[in-house]
Amino acid sequence: MRLPIVLDTDPGIDDAAAIAAALFAPELDVQLITTVAGNVSVEKTTRNALQLLHFWQADVPLAQGAAAPMLRPLRDAADVHGESGMEGYDFVEHNRQPLAKPAFIAIRDAVMSAPEPLTLVAIGPLTNIALLLTHYPECIFNIRRLVIMGGSAGRGNFTPNAEFNIAIDPEAAARVFQSGIDIVMCGLDVTNQAVLTPDYLEQLPQLNETGKMLHSLFSHYRSGSMSSGLRMHDLCAIAWLVRPELFALSPCFVAVETQGTWTAGATVVDIEGRLGQHANAQVALGLDVDGFRRWVSEVLALAP
C-alpha cells in the first residue's frame, strides 16, 4: 500500500530534490502539492513547482497558497536559492495552471474526501497548515500526522536561535504545534547532517535527466558547496516517511517563541521534560547519515 500524502512546499532548490523523492518513492502517493511563500514569493514557488511537475510529466494537482505569513511581512531566502528560487536550469515553457482555490481549501477538500486519513508533509513555512487548522479544525480527525522540516533543538540557521521555516511565520508554527495533531519534526538537528557528498554530486549528471537538472540547480545552491557537500534539509521529511528507521526520534514538548525581539521563531524543545508539559511532537535528534545517502541514491535513480 502506498502512503497517500499532501506535500506543502516552497521551491526552493532542496525542495526540488524533495519533490522528486516524494513523486518517485514507490512507497508514496502524492495526492496534492500546495505552495507557500518562503524561499521566494508564492508566485515564484508556484511557478517553480509547476515547472517541476511539467518536467516530470507528473499528473498531480497543485494549489497556490499563502502569499505572506499570518502576521508578519515576508522575509525570503533568495540569497540561498537565487532570485527565482531555482536558479541554474532552463525549464521549458508549459501551460499548467494551479487549481482555482487557495491551498488551505484544497488541503481541506483532499483531507475530508480521503477514504483514509491523509499524511501532510510541510517543508516550508507552516502558514497554509495553520490556516487549514484555524478555518477547518474538523480536518484534524482525518489527518494521520504532519511531518515537517523545520525547527531545531539547538541553534538556528536564520537567526542564532531560529530555523528558517519556523522563523518566517512563528505565529503559524505556534498554532500548528498547539493543535493536538500528531507531529514529526525533522529539524536542523538531523538536516544539518543530511549532506550529499561531492563525489555523489559529481555523478548526478550521469544518473538520468533528473540528475542533470538537480546538478544544475545544486551548482547554484548556497547551503554548503559542491566541493564540500550540500545539506538536503527538505529531503529529510520525505526520508522519514519511507525510511523511519534511519532516524532517532524523541517525544518532546515543543513551544514556538513568537514575542522575543531576538528569539522569535525559536523552537523550545523540552528534551528532558523539565517544563512538565505533555509531548506534542516526535522530534528527530539523530540520523543514520550513510543510510540516508544510500536512500537518496536509490530514490533519485527511480526518477526519469
Side-chain angles (χ1 to χ4, degrees):
M1 291 290 292
R2 297 167 70 203
L3 179 71
I5 68 170
V6 171
L7 179 60
D8 189 64
T9 178
D10 62 336
I13 290 174
D14 63 327
D15 300 74
I19 294 169
L23 289 174
F24 299 108
E27 300 90 346
L28 301 179
D29 177 15
V30 182
Q31 305 269 305
L32 171 71
I33 291 176
T34 54
T35 59
V36 67
N39 287 322
V40 286
S41 70
V42 75
E43 291 80 14
K44 291 178 180 178
T45 65
T46 301
R47 182 200 60 208
N48 293 342
L50 289 170
Q51 286 176 324
L52 291 167
L53 289 175
H54 185 71
F55 177 86
W56 289 307
Q57 292 299 299
D59 186 20
V60 178
L62 181 141
Q64 180 169 303
M70 296 180 77
L71 299 177
R72 299 166 185 257
L74 176 65
R75 296 172 293 170
D76 67 24
D79 59 322
V80 175
H81 297 266
E83 190 60 33
S84 74
M86 290 198 317
E87 297 287 335
Y89 187 83
D90 292 325
F91 291 93
V92 300
E93 293 297 320
H94 63 86
N95 58 6
R96 294 189 180 219
Q97 296 293 324
L99 298 173
K101 52 186 168 183
F104 76 97
I105 292 179
I107 299 172
R108 185 275 310 265
D109 292 348
V111 166
M112 298 307 286
S113 64
E116 59 181 282
L118 281 182
T119 296
L120 307 186
V121 186
I123 56 176
L126 292 169
T127 316
N128 289 334
I129 309 302
L131 289 171
L132 172 76
L133 297 174
T134 299
H135 289 280
Y136 303 111
E138 66 274 14
C139 283
I140 289 178
F141 301 106
N142 211 35
I143 296 173
R144 183 186 302 274
R145 65 171 53 90
L146 169 65
V147 182
I148 71 168
M149 187 278 119
S152 172
R155 305 292 288 170
N157 66 350
F158 188 65
T159 71
N161 295 295
E163 180 274 330
F164 176 82
N165 284 343
I166 306 299
I168 293 307
D169 197 345
E171 286 76 18
R175 172 71 182 86
V176 170
F177 276 97
Q178 293 164 3
S179 68
I181 200 169
D182 184 358
I183 296 173
V184 173
M185 173 179 141
C186 297
L188 297 178
D189 313 281
V190 291
T191 71
N192 278 336
Q193 301 177 54
V195 177
L196 297 185
T197 64
D199 287 347
Y200 176 71
L201 295 169
E202 214 173 89
Q203 296 166 14
L204 273 176
Q206 285 74 53
L207 184 65
N208 49 33
E209 290 302 312
T210 295
K212 292 177 185 176
M213 180 266 290
L214 290 175
H215 185 270
S216 295
L217 295 181
F218 290 163
S219 298
H220 291 74
Y221 185 37
R222 302 182 187 103
S223 187
S225 72
M226 294 287 279
S227 60
S228 62
L230 294 178
R231 292 186 289 275
M232 292 290 108
H233 300 287
D234 293 334
L235 264 172
C236 286
I238 309 301
W240 183 85
L241 289 169
V242 297
R243 295 288 186 274
E245 68 276 7
L246 298 177
F247 296 80
L249 267 59
S250 180
C252 299
F253 171 71
V254 179
V256 180
E257 176 59 60
T258 61
Q259 298 300 318
T261 301
W262 307 114
T263 57
T267 42
V268 180
V269 181
D270 187 15
I271 298 171
E272 299 86 2
R274 293 172 179 168
L275 299 178
Q277 301 290 321
H278 292 295
N280 59 357
Q282 296 284 332
V283 179
L285 296 173
L287 175 68
D288 176 351
V289 176
D290 289 338
F292 172 81
R293 289 171 178 159
R294 284 193 298 272
W295 171 76
V296 172
S297 299
E298 292 167 6
V299 75
L300 292 185
L302 297 174

